[in-house]
Amino acid sequence: MKKILFVLALSTILSACGEGQLKVQDQNVSDFQVQDVNATNFKEVIEQGEGIILDVRTSEEVYSKGYIQDASLLDYYDEDFREKISLMSKDKDIYLYCASGGRSIEVVKMMEELGFKRVYHLNNGLMDWENAGFTLVKDALAKDDKIEELSLDEFEAMLVADKPILIDFHTVWCAPCRKMAPIIDKVEEDLKDMAIIRRIDLDKSKEVGKAYSIQGVPVFVIFKDGKEVWRHNGIISEEELKVQLNNI
């Protein structure tokens, strides 16, 4: 009888500890953390943190309903969704949402498997966000004509140049990539006489990404005489990029 009462008490304690948090893998065997939060808390962690906002709805949903400012937009139903999500920085906090929470819960499980560290999951998705009266961005994403698709042979032929080459490894769905695009364009304009700058679509140039071990986006690599001489993952300032190019 005592044993039965002990088991029931332990079950009650464990249930209480799990409130407000998605149940994933045993915390003793994984350092993955996920917090299931409401819209108010979701907005707060976005504003206070430096992570990545991830919208996993379809493009039709995004353009008809709008999206949270600065979100990376990646369709859960894309056949290569898992491959694309692997390109995101796994050490950064991820602020994850979908329309009502169903798809994003499945993505949480996937992120644990892929080695992400911490996810804030918007409980009930954008339904909760809109019910809280928070705004969405409804403008269409600007088209970027400078993104290139290259085979490995084409890429390596491009590296044979008499100037340093800065490569911006980029995807169209990545919000940090979109933020960096005008900065890269400014660097290109200011240093056009001493460097070559190209923006490569990593989604469509998979051979290149695999050959050069590109693990995330955005990634910036400088080549000289066909060889890699510098690499940086993530957002970087215009000034730092110019310093690196001038030092090559």
Side-chain angles (χ1 to χ4, degrees):
M1 182 67 178
K2 290 182 179 180
K3 183 176 181 181
I4 294 173
L5 290 174
F6 173 77
V7 171
L8 289 173
L10 179 61
S11 176
T12 302
I13 292 170
L14 290 175
S15 297
C17 290
E19 185 177 354
Q21 191 166 14
L22 288 172
K23 181 175 177 59
V24 287
Q25 191 168 306
D26 187 340
Q27 293 299 309
N28 291 325
V29 295
S30 172
D31 59 359
F32 178 72
Q33 299 177 30
V34 55
Q35 186 68 46
D36 196 19
V37 297
N38 62 27
T40 299
N41 291 335
F42 194 71
K43 188 171 185 290
E44 288 175 354
V45 295
I46 288 174
E47 292 173 346
Q48 295 170 6
E50 296 181 352
I52 299 171
I53 310 168
L54 178 60
D55 183 325
V56 296
R57 296 173 302 148
T58 65
S59 57
E60 290 79 8
E61 291 174 287
V62 169
Y63 294 126
S64 64
K65 295 283 292 184
Y67 57 95
I68 295 176
Q69 180 75 46
D70 296 328
S72 292
L73 310 173
L74 188 50
D75 186 348
Y76 175 74
Y77 297 114
D78 281 353
E79 60 181 23
D80 56 352
F81 176 83
R82 186 184 181 94
E83 185 177 348
K84 289 179 177 178
I85 206 171
S86 296
L87 294 174
M88 298 178 66
S89 175
K90 296 177 176 60
D91 293 326
K92 285 187 173 293
D93 290 351
I94 305 297
Y95 314 123
L96 173 66
Y97 71 92
C98 66
S100 59
R103 283 167 288 183
S104 50
I105 287 176
E106 294 304 313
V107 176
V108 166
K109 299 172 186 176
M110 190 182 300
M111 286 184 148
E112 181 183 19
E113 295 170 2
L114 290 171
F116 284 83
K117 300 303 182 186
R118 180 162 50 231
V119 176
Y120 291 93
H121 174 258
L122 177 55
N123 189 32
N124 296 321
L126 283 189
M127 291 173 53
D128 195 38
W129 183 271
E130 291 183 285
N131 287 338
F134 300 140
T135 60
L136 296 171
V137 177
K138 293 189 177 180
D139 56 323
L141 297 175
K143 184 179 179 182
D144 189 339
D145 294 324
K146 292 189 176 183
I147 300 176
E148 302 178 73
E149 174 184 353
L150 295 178
S151 69
L152 182 57
D153 287 343
E154 290 171 330
F155 182 82
E156 292 186 336
M158 176 190 68
L159 297 182
V160 181
D162 58 357
K163 297 178 182 179
I165 300 176
L166 170 64
I167 303 296
D168 171 7
F169 287 102
H170 187 105
T171 66
V172 296
W173 50 264
C174 163
C177 297
R178 298 197 302 268
K179 281 185 175 181
M180 284 300 304
I183 294 173
I184 298 301
D185 291 345
K186 181 66 164 55
V187 172
E188 180 179 21
E189 176 61 28
D190 291 348
L191 302 183
K192 59 186 176 184
D193 293 332
M194 58 85 62
I196 298 168
I197 298 178
R198 306 282 286 269
R199 187 139 66 239
I200 305 301
D201 188 337
L202 201 56
D203 281 341
K204 296 180 178 179
S205 307
K206 298 183 187 299
E207 272 189 311
V208 178
K210 184 176 181 180
Y212 288 88
S213 301
I214 306 302
Q215 301 295 325
V217 283
V219 174
F220 304 97
V221 183
I222 298 177
F223 293 87
K224 186 176 182 182
D225 299 325
K227 297 180 180 180
E228 179 179 330
V229 295
W230 177 85
R231 177 181 295 219
H232 176 85
N233 288 46
I235 288 177
I236 185 172
S237 70
E238 174 187 337
E239 292 73 20
E240 179 60 22
L241 280 169
K242 289 179 175 178
V243 166
Q244 294 298 332
L245 285 167
N246 281 313
N247 287 339
I248 299 300

